[in-house]
Amino acid sequence: LNLQGKGTSPPAALQGRAFDAENVLERHEGNSKRMMLRDVNILRVQLAVIFGDYDAMESALDVLATVPTYDRVIVRQHLRLAFAGLAAFALGRHWLSKRDKRKRRRYYAKMGNNILRFFEKLRKSGSVNATPVCRCLVAAKKPGHDAYKRAISACSAAQTLQLEALVTEQYGLFCGSVGDKEMERRHIEKAVALYRDWGAFGKARQLKEKYDFLRDFVPKAKPQVSERKIIMFSLITAC
């Protein structure tokens, strides 16, 4: 519901009629509460990264940093680490000009690098699914034209639509930051179309409200969705 724009604001708060995180956590104790806190913050960090909510990224990472890397549920482990890594690198860039955040920047850099090494090890051992995550993390760590192009290409090839939408948006933001407004417009428009194909209408609406050039933009009819892509869509609810 939050991705679709039907939940509460801000989306990463997870406070609505369908699910209220604080009320749910109050009903758990001990290990049950720790597992629920983990699962809530896995969802929260993903929503925070997608919607660009830095405060929510920081609070979610504070919780997830206490969770052991190993998880016997592989999908949950990979989802947690992928978005924790993206959040860590995003926060490192966000606090770049803040002198009082120097220790936090180093902390997030270390966290992001550890996660990147985890996925690089998987990729080198033959995991196809690790490749797009690695490319996205590299682009998040050190933004650049080549890094973003490799990430977009890897996500498209693996049909990880949510990551492709996210990294395409980030590339658009990067192009805008270096003064290339045409490339910014082109990639933000593509990101809107990808978010809509994924079902994240709330995120697409956020971008349309932010950019004037999207006011009259109408995405083309979405292509046939493959079975593999549908499986990747479901990752957000797998936890």
Side-chain angles (χ1 to χ4, degrees):
L1 291 175
N2 290 23
L3 280 173
Q4 293 173 357
K6 298 178 181 178
T8 55
S9 182
L14 293 178
Q15 295 175 337
R17 289 178 297 173
F19 181 80
D20 188 318
E22 298 306 320
N23 287 341
V24 170
L25 288 168
E26 286 177 0
R27 299 200 296 268
H28 292 264
E29 295 180 353
N31 193 50
S32 175
K33 185 170 185 176
R34 286 192 292 272
M35 289 190 293
M36 180 58 68
L37 194 61
R38 172 203 61 198
D39 293 347
V40 163
N41 281 281
I42 289 172
L43 296 178
R44 186 169 280 158
V45 75
Q46 182 172 11
L47 287 167
V49 169
I50 291 169
F51 284 94
D53 187 337
Y54 292 102
D55 289 338
M57 286 185 216
E58 192 161 20
S59 63
L61 284 185
D62 284 344
V63 174
L64 295 178
T66 67
V67 177
T69 299
Y70 174 76
D71 189 333
R72 63 181 180 179
V73 181
I74 300 300
V75 171
R76 182 172 60 203
Q77 179 196 42
H78 290 184
L79 183 63
R80 167 170 55 90
L81 292 175
F83 279 91
L86 291 170
F89 286 133
L91 284 167
R93 294 198 312 275
H94 182 64
W95 298 127
L96 198 59
S97 61
K98 304 286 186 179
R99 289 187 177 182
D100 60 327
K101 295 286 187 177
R102 192 170 297 170
K103 284 187 177 180
R104 296 295 282 177
R105 289 204 311 271
R106 289 198 293 266
Y107 171 73
Y108 292 131
K110 182 179 179 180
M111 181 186 296
N113 285 325
N114 286 340
I115 291 172
L116 177 57
R117 282 193 290 270
F118 172 86
F119 281 106
E120 282 286 6
K121 185 176 180 180
L122 284 179
R123 184 184 64 82
K124 291 176 180 178
S125 68
S127 172
V128 177
N129 292 331
T131 300
V133 178
C134 287
R135 296 286 183 260
C136 289
L137 289 171
V138 168
K141 177 182 178 180
K142 191 173 182 180
H145 289 290
D146 289 342
Y148 279 119
K149 287 176 182 177
R150 289 193 187 100
I152 291 170
S153 177
C155 291
S156 179
Q159 297 185 314
T160 49
L161 189 58
Q162 71 277 47
L163 288 179
E164 185 181 359
L166 178 64
V167 76
T168 299
E169 176 195 357
Q170 293 300 317
Y171 188 27
L173 294 174
F174 172 79
C175 290
S177 71
V178 297
D180 193 337
K181 297 302 180 182
E182 176 57 28
M183 286 291 284
E184 176 188 30
R185 181 192 62 78
R186 186 184 306 175
H187 284 87
I188 294 297
E189 286 181 349
K190 183 181 177 183
V192 168
L194 289 167
Y195 280 125
R196 287 177 60 86
D197 286 354
W198 182 35
F201 299 106
K203 174 60 185 184
R205 184 163 60 248
Q206 181 198 54
L207 290 176
K208 294 197 77 169
E209 291 171 353
K210 180 179 179 180
Y211 295 98
D212 289 338
F213 60 76
L214 291 175
R215 189 171 301 165
D216 300 319
F217 173 67
V218 179
K220 296 179 182 179
K222 67 180 182 179
Q224 185 69 28
V225 181
S226 71
E227 181 180 354
R228 177 182 172 85
K229 196 172 288 187
I230 291 173
I231 292 172
M232 296 308 297
F233 294 172
S234 68
L235 282 181
I236 192 168
T237 57
C239 305

